[in-house]
Amino acid sequence: MPAKTDVVSNEIKLQLYSLLYKTRATEDRIIALYRQGRIMGGVYTGRGVEATTVAAGLALEKQDYLFPIHRDLGAHLAKGQSVLNILLQYLGRGNSLTKGKDSGIHMSDTTLNIIGNVSHLGAMIPVAVGVAMAKKMQNEKVVTLNFIGEGGSNIGDFHEGLNFAAVHKAPFVLVIENNQYAYSTPAHKEYVCNRLSDRAQGYGIPGYHIDGTDALGVYATIKKAIEDARNGKGPSLIECLSMRMVGHSAHDDAFYVDKEQMKKYEKKDPFLRLEQVLRKEGLLDDKQIKRIQDTIDKEIEQATDIALNSPLPEAHWAAEGVYAE
Ligand SMILES: Cc1ncc(C[n+]2csc(CCOP(=O)(O)OP(=O)(O)O)c2C)c(N)n1
């Protein structure tokens, strides 16, 4: 069950709306740049799962640590990352956070407590639990949050990390983005339990199964799990059910995805859904929507210009910053 959404303030609701728009508009720009041949490597977008990534990122406090994975641009933006840094990274520029050494959103920003992922799914779970334990030992009230896909949740690290976190009451939250496909593999060929959140019982921790397309429900539930973790109650497992509305990455047309399922989830579009709610509540009207969207469009336009005019890395940088002294 999701937590009650009446705890979500109007200010947060509007922030969620802006961030959902910013995520979608930034991803649309990234895809356009990819189709122009300006981006090397894959482009893994979060269309359909943005309510989960944005709400989780926004529910964290400044001192908390975010461990995003490949589809979580919304979480980077919600934790305070700029569109410019995202575009510099995708375009492999020398002034990007990885200095052109990695692609996609595999990037850390220690000024924002964002720790980027390595490609191996699940490998960041024990790392995020380790950071949570370090902060606990230092008596700091810091929480770490990591995402995993429903596909990645079947990997050994999931068990080791979550069990360790449960035993040591680590201030840790694990969010499963269940978008029903792992590349071309449908969920029923990935696991046979009813709900992935039921696994929480086996670790002796709370498990929540919620609608991952409902930004308000996701925010309220994750916020509660974060505050429980901060107050010494240990970790939680939150399964957010949504649907990957595009292919695995920009080269993939998702021909293998069940079309009826897609149609069903088109009606649950996370962005339009929140817009409808906020209109009904009198928090948004046409004029405000235009103002919000125009401001974000301008930011993306300016960031694109700067990023495209930024230098590529020097060749000799390839060997620098690879090993720690
Ligand atoms: C251990 C491991 N195996 C395989 C891959 C290749 N791979 C990258 S993303 C992906 C699909 C993951 O599906 P899921 O965890 O459900 O996340 P989604 O992409 O659907 O958001 C695969 C198989 C990988 N990165 N790491």
Side-chain angles (χ1 to χ4, degrees), residues 1 150 153-154 158-159 162 174-176 178 191-210 236-241:
M1 283 284 286
E150 87 289 341
S153 75
N154 306 304
F158 177 96
H159 169 66
L162 209 46
L174 185 59
V175 177
I176 303 178
N178 187 345
Y191 58 89
V192 290
C193 54
N194 190 17
R195 294 174 163 185
L196 289 171
S197 56
D198 292 344
R199 291 182 185 171
Q201 211 181 351
Y203 298 108
I205 62 172
Y208 303 86
H209 175 90
I210 60 173
S236 297
L237 178 66
I238 303 171
E239 178 184 11
C240 298
L241 190 65

Side-chain angles (χ1 to χ4, degrees), residues 283-300:
L283 288 174
L284 278 181
D285 58 22
D286 287 348
K287 223 169 115 188
Q288 281 155 312
I289 288 174
K290 187 171 171 354
R291 190 174 42 79
I292 292 170
Q293 297 191 357
D294 283 352
T295 309
I296 292 169
D297 289 347
K298 206 167 146 197
E299 182 187 346
I300 294 173

Side-chain angles (χ1 to χ4, degrees), residues 194-237:
N194 190 17
R195 294 174 163 185
L196 289 171
S197 56
D198 292 344
R199 291 182 185 171
Q201 211 181 351
Y203 298 108
I205 62 172
Y208 303 86
H209 175 90
I210 60 173
D211 181 347
T213 67
D214 167 21
L216 301 180
V218 176
Y219 180 87
T221 308
I222 294 185
K223 189 81 186 164
K224 181 188 176 323
I226 289 171
E227 292 320 315
D228 283 350
R230 199 182 312 285
N231 293 324
K233 293 189 183 166
S236 297
L237 178 66

